[in-house]
Amino acid sequence: MIRPLFLVASLLLATPALAQTVPDQTTPAPSTPAPSTPPAPSAEDAEAAFEAKAEAFSARMEAMQGEMSAAVTAAGTDTAKRDADLDAIEARYKPDVDTFVADLQSFVATMAPTMPEAQATGMRAGIEMAIVQIRGATAQIRASVVEQSMASPAA
């Protein structure tokens, strides 16, 4: 269940749109000194950084799933306790979801200008679908954990 979210993010990474445009080699270098700001990260650096964030997010969602499973088990048949505990867990992980969505939006904003327009448009459209899925991750995990607990025979 976590894998589909990671795959959505990975699809954005694997998009052939990450192909960089090569600067025109016939244009002479500017004669003015370069500004003292560090150079912008390359597309590969941005991709690697985002991939690390996606892996960390996936790990956080797996941790949340484990916490939710433990909470459901601990609550037993007390659905009010179960729901309160799951609400608290979901609230604790919401900032992780919000941060990852912001990271994904930033990644796309960084990458889109380096792509041909058609690919950038496709990537921007894809991100909207991915964001909906990512924002729904905690609710999907919660529903799955509850469903699994109901399908499991009582101990």
Side-chain angles (χ1 to χ4, degrees), residues 50 53-54 96 98-108 127:
F50 180 73
K53 290 174 183 179
D96 294 303
D98 294 340
T99 297
F100 185 66
V101 165
D103 290 341
L104 179 57
Q105 290 171 322
S106 176
F107 173 72
V108 170
I127 190 160

Side-chain angles (χ1 to χ4, degrees), residues 60-120:
R60 288 291 290 156
M61 293 297 99
E62 288 177 16
M64 184 188 75
Q65 183 176 8
E67 284 184 44
M68 286 183 163
S69 292
V72 167
T73 300
T77 59
D78 186 346
T79 57
K81 177 174 176 24
R82 178 197 72 196
D83 290 345
D85 290 348
L86 293 177
D87 287 345
I89 293 167
E90 199 169 348
R92 264 198 335 269
Y93 283 88
K94 185 179 181 327
D96 294 303
V97 172
D98 294 340
T99 297
F100 185 66
V101 165
D103 290 341
L104 179 57
Q105 290 171 322
S106 176
F107 173 72
V108 170
T110 299
M111 298 307 297
T114 68
M115 303 174 193
E117 187 57 38
Q119 289 175 322

